Structures are given as structure tokens and as C-alpha cells.
Amino acid sequence: MADSQPKPLLPAYLIVGDDEHKRRALVERLRNRVAECGDIAFNEDVFDGANPECSDIVIACNTMPFASPYRYVLVRNADKLPKVESEALVEYLSNPNPTTVLCLEAGALAANTRLYKAVGKVDPTAIVSCALPKSGREKEKALRTKVRELAPAYGVTFSDQAADRLVELIGEDTVFLDREIQKIALAHKTTQPVSPQEVDSLVVRMTEKKPWDLQDALTERKLNQCLTLCALMPSTTPTSLLAFCVIRIRELLKIQALQRRGIQGGALASALNKKDWQVSKLMPGVQRYSPEELQQALIAARDAEQAMKSGSDQEAILLQWLTDTVIPQRRL
């Protein structure tokens, strides 16, 4: 769809993935290609799969175009289609109308579903992925890259730190990210890249921090950051946050135990069933905590969990545990 010499239009496309901004752009690009072939004014139908009254999609697909070689039929939220409509489309795609271009747009549609497979049988290239990476950190990296790629369209650039900050505040919705970039661009008055401070002054937080951010702050023994992060995750319970912290404590203990056995470098990652970069992120904690401190943290975590389940103030217990773990000699 992006070639300088466009390929012939297929009778069906599936544009699928959680990058909504990319999905919308590709849907619009496909519509424009159909419009370039002839008058689309009388040859376009749009359906919403999330509408329980959605029907007549196959009828629209089988309708012959008027004064144009193609009709364009768009089905948004195709992953939410009622089963009867989805099955009707599966049957239609076994012998699609060559004068109709059917575009199915979906945020998520599993590759093992009948509708997904039916589009793939039309042509393997008919399925266009707009998926962001599944891994939390890889997804964040992809989103930051996307911010830097989108910004020049509005006449600005973002520093790496500013892109990081925008993703941190807005989250994974690429449409919202695009809107915020446009808003920042309107207020940006210099030729310098947008700074993190500028993002902070113009953008309101729309997302929470992630538990693995707390894990990293615990690894680096940054108490202020740990306490701040707890306040930025209101939908995650203190018991869940404690569990994430315990996972990190156990990881650090495992690495120390393996090191005492002489296992170092890349062999550590293999022994832990992790990637090298994941182990590298754990090493500051391995160096900053003694085995005795980590063991004491586990014992204290057990006691903290019991106290949380007894009806005590869970948040206060979590903050006390974090403080005693990161700075053992200090007491609140």
C-alpha cells in the first residue's frame, strides 16, 4: 500500500493492530486509492462492528459500483462483529466481489479466527499489521520512536527525553499521542527540540506508571522514586506492588547465588532464562544489596503481607517496607 507503483487493489484487506494512529492512516490511504479510480460519492458504505444492529455488510459488498470500477466498504471494529455477521463475511470472502474493496479494521483479531484466515486466503498481503510490540518495555520504546517520527509533520522535533516524557504521561494510545504532539507544536515557538519541561507544562497525565518502574527504582535503591511511583499507580493494590517487589528481590538473590557458583556474563542470562539486557538491568541491585539485606527484605515482605491481610493500612505497610528495604537503618 506504500509502494510508489501501487499494486492492483485486492477485494479485501484486514488492517489490524493496537497502533490506532497507523490503522487510521492506512484506512484513509486505502480509501484514497479507491477514490482515485472513480467517483466514490455513491460507492461507499461504512459499518461499525461494535454496533449490535450492524448488518447488511455482505449485501453492500455484493452491490455493483455506480460510475466507478470499485465500491469501498469499510467495517470498523471488525473484531467485535456479531458471530452471524462474521460468519457471513467468512463465506463471502471465499468468493469475493472483484468490484468491491472491503476494508476490515480491527484493534485485535487473533490469527486463528475464521475471519482472519479468510482474509489471508484472499491474499497473504491483504493482512496489514499495525501491532506494537507486546513486551512492556519494547512497546514503550516503539511508542517513543513513533513520537519522534510523528513530530516533524507538525514542524517540530522532540528530544529523546521529551519523547519519553510524553509517552510516560499519555500512554499507549497513538491517536492521543498524535493530538498532544500537535498541541505542543502549536505552542512551541523556537527551532530547538521540544524539551521534557515543555511537555510537563503543556500535557496532563492520562496514564499510570507501571509496576516494573517500581521494580527498577527498588533495584537502584532510590527511595524517593519508589515512594513517588506508589502514588502514581492508584489502580494497583499495595499487595500487588509488594508482590512485584518480591519478584525483584528473588531475582537479585538468584543472580548472587549463581555468581557465587562462578556463573558470570552471558551464562547468567541463560541460567535465568532471560535476555542479556534484562540481566544488565538487574546488576545495579546485585551490587548495591548484600545477600543478607535481600534475605531480610524477603522475611520482612512475608510479615508485611500478613499485616496487610489482617486489616492494617496496606499503603502505609508498603511504604514502611520499601523504606526499610532501601534504607534499612531508617525508620518512618
Side-chain angles (χ1 to χ4, degrees):
M1 292 171 64
D3 294 343
S4 57
Q5 296 295 329
K7 297 178 181 178
L9 286 166
L10 298 173
Y13 293 89
L14 171 61
I15 299 176
V16 58
D18 50 355
D19 187 340
E20 186 178 355
H21 180 271
K22 184 177 180 180
R23 288 202 325 264
R24 290 188 179 187
L26 291 175
V27 167
E28 184 64 21
R29 189 182 304 177
L30 179 59
R31 182 186 184 278
N32 290 340
R33 279 205 58 198
V34 177
E36 290 171 359
C37 297
D39 188 358
I40 202 173
F42 300 102
N43 296 291
E44 180 177 18
D45 286 291
V46 178
F47 298 89
D48 184 356
N51 185 344
E53 298 180 358
C54 174
S55 62
D56 299 333
I57 299 174
V58 173
I59 294 175
C61 290
N62 282 322
T63 302
M64 299 302 294
F66 176 75
S68 172
Y70 295 109
R71 282 182 55 79
Y72 177 67
V73 178
L74 170 63
V75 181
R76 300 191 184 279
N77 297 308
D79 48 335
K80 299 177 182 178
L81 279 167
K83 184 174 180 60
V84 63
E85 290 294 334
S86 178
E87 287 300 313
L89 279 174
V90 170
E91 183 178 352
Y92 164 78
L93 288 169
S94 66
N95 185 27
N97 182 359
T99 63
T100 291
V101 176
L102 170 63
C103 177
L104 302 172
E105 181 192 4
L109 188 66
N112 61 354
T113 58
R114 284 169 53 79
L115 185 56
Y116 189 104
K117 292 178 180 178
V119 178
K121 289 179 180 178
V122 171
D123 192 298
T125 64
I127 299 175
V128 184
S129 175
C130 300
L132 293 166
K134 297 299 181 185
S135 167
R137 297 198 180 281
E138 291 179 0
K139 179 177 285 189
E140 288 180 358
K141 182 179 178 181
L143 288 167
R144 291 162 185 156
T145 300
K146 189 170 188 70
V147 168
R148 292 189 284 270
E149 291 174 348
L150 291 173
Y154 300 110
V156 296
T157 58
F158 274 65
S159 69
D160 290 348
Q161 295 79 7
D164 290 347
R165 185 59 176 158
L166 184 61
V167 172
E168 179 183 336
L169 293 174
I170 299 301
E172 301 175 359
D173 192 314
T174 53
V175 172
F176 284 156
L177 284 172
D178 184 65
R179 290 174 183 171
E180 292 300 318
I181 293 169
Q182 186 175 10
K183 181 178 74 175
I184 292 170
L186 290 172
H188 190 68
K189 302 301 182 183
T190 74
T191 57
Q192 297 298 313
V194 173
S195 68
Q197 294 76 19
E198 196 171 356
V199 172
D200 282 331
S201 68
L202 294 170
V203 178
V204 177
R205 177 179 289 276
M206 296 178 61
T207 187
E208 295 186 15
K209 297 295 289 183
K210 304 297 184 182
W212 51 79
D213 295 316
L214 177 59
Q215 287 180 322
D216 291 345
L218 177 66
T219 300
E220 297 177 5
R221 299 193 83 151
K222 294 181 178 179
L223 179 60
N224 289 340
Q225 190 174 342
C226 286
L227 302 183
T228 299
L229 287 167
C230 288
L232 295 176
M233 292 181 282
S235 66
T236 307
T237 64
T239 53
S240 295
L241 292 177
L242 179 63
F244 276 103
C245 291
V246 168
I247 290 172
R248 179 54 52 89
I249 296 295
R250 291 184 181 278
E251 288 174 333
L252 298 179
L253 278 169
K254 287 179 182 178
I255 292 177
Q256 290 180 345
L258 289 170
Q259 287 180 330
R260 287 195 295 270
R261 298 175 189 173
I263 300 175
Q264 302 288 342
L268 275 174
S270 178
L272 293 166
N273 196 26
K274 291 181 179 292
K275 297 179 181 179
D276 288 339
W277 67 267
Q278 292 175 313
V279 174
S280 295
K281 288 186 70 68
L282 296 173
M283 295 312 294
V286 173
Q287 299 164 0
R288 291 185 173 117
Y289 289 95
S290 69
E292 293 73 23
E293 286 177 319
L294 294 175
Q295 291 166 7
Q296 181 55 42
L298 276 183
I299 295 171
R302 177 203 61 193
D303 297 339
E305 183 181 13
Q306 290 176 346
M308 287 178 176
K309 292 179 178 178
S310 70
S312 301
D313 187 328
Q314 293 186 354
E315 183 176 1
I317 292 171
L318 174 64
L319 298 183
Q320 180 72 64
W321 180 85
L322 284 168
T323 302
D324 293 344
T325 298
V326 175
I327 308 178
Q329 70 277 16
R330 177 179 171 179
R331 294 291 184 270
L332 288 175

